[in-house]
Amino acid sequence: MLAFVGLQSQQASASEFICKPSTLTRDAADLASAWSNGSTPLRILAIGSSSTEGVGASGKDKTYPARLGTLLREGLAGRSIEMVNAGIGGETAPQTLSRLKGALAEGRYDLVIWQVGTNDAVTGGDLGTFRNLIADGIAAAKQSRTRLVILDPQFYPGIKETARYRTYVEAIAEVAKAQAVPVLSRYQAMLGWYQRDADGFMAALAGDRFHMSDAGYGCLAQDIARSLLGDKPAVTLAASVR
């Protein structure tokens, strides 16, 4: 049983974000059964831009990859996990794709979490080219026989041209579905946080109201852990992340 301590039942204030249980996708839950048997270390690559690097976090141990690694070790009864954080702030899909291909060629990973699309959605560009980049990354992972899940763009209240931004989220979902690759829908999760409590949601963001705070990264890590582990073992959320 994976438990997160300290759940509070009171309403969140503007300085407090209450993290409630959610699952970003059920499609990745089969990983738990594959991971629960075996003694060799699991190697996980988290690659992407500032959300992966952890811009807005108070320290490297507060980034989502660091917290995810801790939760997976607990959920898998202490199995050794090597979590590699390959996040570089400011990157767009073409830059990350190049590094992703290099990483797949150089090392063997049990799982790659590819965070992609936020900076592309913010700056705009040719959507067809973006879709092709996502397909190219999926093909590279399949060629190297590496399990891949995609972490889609974040939601934040200051999104401009919301309809255009959503087309990037939808493009990722469509391309990934066609290739049977799970998507961890951070956008939908964060939108749900905001709709539930717009004031409390602001505590999930850093001071720039764009990047995530320690609270936001912590909740994201918990949701990803729940999505990856599914019901084996059962994952329950019993924590407030502040």
Side-chain angles (χ1 to χ4, degrees), residues 70-171:
T70 298
L71 295 175
L72 292 178
R73 291 182 193 100
E74 294 176 6
L76 294 171
R79 184 170 181 184
S80 178
I81 293 176
E82 180 185 353
M83 177 69 69
V84 178
N85 186 334
I88 297 179
E91 280 196 340
T92 55
Q95 296 166 309
T96 307
L97 175 60
S98 178
R99 292 195 300 117
L100 172 62
K101 288 182 175 181
L104 291 171
E106 293 172 2
R108 180 66 183 174
Y109 294 96
D110 296 282
L111 177 70
V112 171
I113 303 173
W114 181 18
Q115 173 254 313
V116 65
T118 298
N119 292 326
D120 304 86
V122 168
T123 60
D126 183 74
L127 189 61
T129 299
F130 177 75
R131 293 174 68 98
N132 290 337
L133 288 168
I134 300 302
D136 196 4
I138 292 173
K142 288 187 174 183
Q143 184 175 8
S144 68
R145 298 183 179 179
T146 302
R147 287 181 178 268
L148 175 73
V149 296
I150 298 176
L151 182 62
D152 73 5
Q154 69 213 56
F155 168 82
Y156 63 99
I159 293 174
K160 296 179 180 179
E161 298 184 58
T162 304
R164 188 196 70 191
Y165 192 96
R166 285 184 63 91
T167 61
Y168 284 80
V169 176
E170 292 164 358

Side-chain angles (χ1 to χ4, degrees), residues 8-19 193 196-205 209 215 240-242:
Q8 305 288 332
S9 59
Q10 73 273 19
Q11 292 295 313
S13 68
S15 61
E16 180 182 17
F17 172 66
I18 302 298
C19 182
W193 301 351
R196 186 178 72 237
D197 182 358
D199 289 335
F201 175 81
M202 300 312 293
L205 301 181
R209 297 296 186 259
S240 156
V241 183
R242 304 184 183 185

